[in-house]
Amino acid sequence: MTPLLSRKDFIKSSSILLAGSSLMSCSSVLAVNQPDADEQTGYISTGDTLTLKNVRLETGFEYEEGEVTGTKTDLFTLEISEDKIKAILPNNPNARAIDAKGLLLLPAFKDMHIHLDKTFYGGPWQARRKKNRTVQDMIAYEQQVLPDMLKTSTHRAEKIIELLQFHGANFARSHVNIEPTSKLDSLKNLQLALENKKDSFSAELVAFPQHGIFHSDSQQLMKEAATMGIDYIGGLDPHAIDGNLEKSMDFVLQLALDHNKGIDIHLHEGGESGLRTVEYLIDQVNENPELKGKTFLSHCFVLARLEQRKLDEVAEKLGNAKIGIISTIPFGNTIMPIPTLYRYGVDVRTGNDSIIDHWNTFGSGSVLQKANLMAQLYGYSTELELSRCLKLATHNILPLDDKGNQQWPKAGDKADLVLVDASCSAEAVSRVSPVKSLLHQGKVVY
Ligand SMILES: [Zn+2]
């Protein structure tokens, strides 16, 4: 058994380099707690295998009169090799291994809607401006402020990534502005940040025509972006911003088909045109089944305004066409019908969207908090219901199935993991329990 890295080297090699921050001060949870462990040799591996002991895993539900009243857990030893879980073994508290100290192991979290490329985070505090009421106002405002924001956008993207990691996410789907003001620079700056963070964080990118494809004449830039390592073609309110639903949607659909990409469209607009956009997309995806499972509508507030019968019809069609909905779980008078979407098998995902920027300043960086908000908003308060809400943060991976059978982790699963200070998933969701460590592709990064 040989020490993998000294504690100092580990911290140097980790991407969480927030010197002097609170992050650093609590990053020691995975230090080896061994009587013979040298202060300088805190992290242990055997050859290529990383071993964790005292790892808490959920093993089943406790029942009383047929109701789930608690979650059973036990301690295990985990072996991780390269980017996978190699073995889950009975716990050996005396093993020379990294001590997880009884913390609960969960799948690492995923932020599925964020704008890493334009943020005030990492710079001075600034609230949203009152004059920016509509999406059109925001477009005009962005045309003024983006040239300045681009000067710091790589650094600030890295800061947001560190915030996401601190809250247990090792993956994000980031929209990135493609418009004549930023041209392709927002994309290039973000790709540089992701390159700098590639050992500790992964992302997929959406080419996002924030100023309207036709409204701002962004077609050529979008076509170029499609060849630059992005994963999804974005869109924005095709009727309200571009003034022609079919023309705008057809551009997005054709670009995605030509380059074998997915689709993720920001749809804020409601009313008749909002609904027509949803139905048009469903029809097009059904005609082009290669888009099933990789087409998404972000926000899609129009669903919050439909009467139940129409909602059931649309939700069923979305489920059948495998079109996902990405919601930031808005409060106020726009309550998204997430329980109905789940009922029809729609892939529901969440993200922080804005952390601190000119759109809003409320993103905490935690998708576990989004799961908590969902639980509060829809009244999911029992042990079983709370435990199910975790799937919003982990993108549908749950340690226990609905009957309490252990389904995660299994040998061979990806070693993208978090350790949280909670006794079970239900508590983690309800208390937004603190994340104590993050493993990305088998490596401790926080
Ligand atoms: Zn967005």
Side-chain angles (χ1 to χ4, degrees):
M1 295 197 184
T2 50
L4 178 64
L5 279 177
S6 77
R7 178 169 169 70
K8 228 172 170 179
D9 288 344
F10 164 72
I11 289 169
K12 261 195 221 156
S13 72
S14 125
S15 296
I16 311 278
L17 276 171
L18 295 185
S21 77
S22 59
L23 243 163
M24 191 61 88
S25 66
C26 51
S27 67
S28 59
V29 70
L30 283 189
V32 172
N33 184 17
Q34 289 289 320
D36 62 339
D38 188 295
E39 180 60 26
Q40 295 299 311
T41 55
Y43 295 87
I44 304 299
S45 77
T46 312
D48 292 332
T49 301
L50 187 73
T51 307
L52 273 70
K53 65 180 179 181
N54 298 323
V55 175
R56 186 169 302 282
L57 296 177
E58 296 184 352
T59 55
F61 288 133
E62 285 165 3
Y63 290 89
E64 227 172 88
E65 296 168 1
E67 185 195 345
V68 176
T69 54
T71 302
K72 291 189 267 190
T73 64
D74 215 335
L75 296 178
F76 293 85
T77 292
L78 235 74
E79 287 183 353
I80 293 165
S81 183
E82 295 187 348
D83 58 349
K84 299 236 170 19
I85 294 171
K86 187 171 130 189
I88 300 151
L89 308 166
N91 196 35
N92 176 4
N94 299 318
R96 188 167 156 78
I98 294 174
D99 190 350
K101 298 177 179 168
L103 295 166
L104 180 69
L105 189 81
L106 295 174
F109 304 148
K110 292 178 164 63
D111 186 307
M112 299 308 292
H113 187 120
I114 193 163
H115 297 257
L116 292 173
D117 64 321
K118 45 175 186 180
T119 181
F120 298 153
Y121 184 76
W125 161 255
Q126 202 178 319
R128 181 176 177 162
R129 298 286 300 276
K130 193 165 72 179
K131 64 179 180 180
N132 295 330
R133 290 177 192 282
T134 64
V135 176
Q136 283 91 340
D137 295 340
M138 292 304 287
I139 292 171
Y141 184 68
E142 284 206 351
Q143 285 163 346
Q144 287 171 36
V145 298
L146 282 176
D148 233 28
M149 291 177 75
L150 281 168
K151 293 175 191 163
T152 53
S153 69
T154 298
H155 174 71
R156 290 187 179 183
E158 291 177 21
K159 288 292 165 200
I160 290 202
I161 288 169
E162 289 163 5
L163 179 73
L164 294 177
Q165 290 172 316
F166 175 65
H167 288 290
N170 74 328
F171 184 89
R173 177 183 295 177
S174 179
H175 293 252
V176 55
N177 263 42
I178 306 292
E179 25 69 16
T181 305
S182 310
K183 301 188 175 62
L184 300 165
D185 291 343
S186 219
L187 174 59
K188 289 175 191 166
N189 289 358
L190 178 55
Q191 284 175 326
L192 180 58
L194 291 169
E195 174 65 21
N196 293 339
K197 292 290 186 189
K198 68 170 190 247
D199 291 338
S200 65
F201 195 83
S202 305
E204 54 190 16
L205 299 181
V206 186
F208 176 38
Q210 170 76 81
H211 300 174
I213 297 165
F214 294 97
H215 180 73
S216 71
D217 207 8
S218 295
Q219 306 95 295
Q220 190 52 38
L221 287 167
M222 286 293 287
K223 286 179 186 171
E224 283 178 55
T227 66
M228 291 176 61
I230 58 100
D231 305 282
Y232 291 83
I233 306 298
L236 174 71
D237 296 336
H239 172 79
I241 299 296
D242 274 342
N244 187 327
L245 192 160
E246 289 81 6
K247 187 177 166 194
S248 182
M249 293 290 282
D250 288 348
F251 179 88
V252 171
L253 287 153
Q254 198 56 53
L255 196 56
L257 290 167
D258 288 348
H259 294 271
N260 194 25
K261 306 290 182 190
I263 290 173
D264 191 336
I265 295 172
H266 276 70
L267 186 64
H268 311 96
E269 63 182 301
E272 192 254 342
S273 65
L275 181 58
R276 271 204 298 128
T277 305
V278 176
E279 293 184 322
Y280 190 78
L281 185 64
I282 291 169
D283 289 344
Q284 293 300 314
V285 169
N286 284 330
E287 276 179 36
N288 300 279
E290 62 266 50
L291 292 171
K292 286 188 177 186
K294 54 180 194 175
T295 298
F296 299 83
L297 286 163
S298 283
H299 306 306
C300 206
F301 297 133
V302 63
L303 298 180
R305 308 263 184 254
L306 298 179
E307 49 102 7
Q308 189 64 43
R309 217 172 49 190
K310 184 67 185 172
L311 175 62
D312 284 330
E313 179 199 317
V314 173
E316 186 172 18
K317 285 185 186 167
L318 286 168
N320 290 338
K322 294 192 168 59
I323 297 174
I325 298 292
I326 305 193
S327 176
T328 54
I329 323 287
F331 275 63
N333 61 1
T334 306
I335 306 293
M336 287 294 293
I338 289 177
T340 302
L341 296 175
Y342 275 136
R343 202 160 59 241
Y344 286 100
V346 178
D347 183 8
V348 178
R349 307 182 182 195
T350 195
N352 281 278
D353 201 0
S354 295
I355 299 285
I356 295 177
D357 61 32
H358 46 293
W359 292 81
N360 85 58
T361 54
F362 300 119
S364 66
S366 169
V367 289
L368 185 60
Q369 186 199 38
K370 294 290 180 187
N372 171 286
L373 291 175
M374 178 171 82
Q376 290 191 56
L377 193 55
Y378 304 107
Y380 297 132
S381 56
T382 66
E383 180 79 6
L384 179 64
E385 289 168 342
L386 285 167
S387 75
R388 305 299 86 186
C389 289
L390 182 73
K391 68 184 174 189
L392 198 62
T394 60
H395 188 220
N396 298 331
I397 308 175
L398 289 175
L400 302 177
D401 70 15
D402 293 354
K403 304 268 180 250
N405 301 306
Q406 194 178 24
Q407 57 186 5
W408 180 95
K410 295 254 190 286
D413 283 347
K414 283 188 195 162
D416 295 330
L417 310 164
V418 281
L419 285 167
V420 297
D421 188 6
S423 64
C424 62
S425 299
E427 184 184 3
V429 168
S430 188
R431 306 305 308 162
V432 196
S433 301
V435 170
K436 294 295 189 181
S437 194
L438 171 67
L439 281 83
H440 173 72
Q441 297 176 354
K443 279 176 293 191
V444 182
V445 299
Y446 163 53

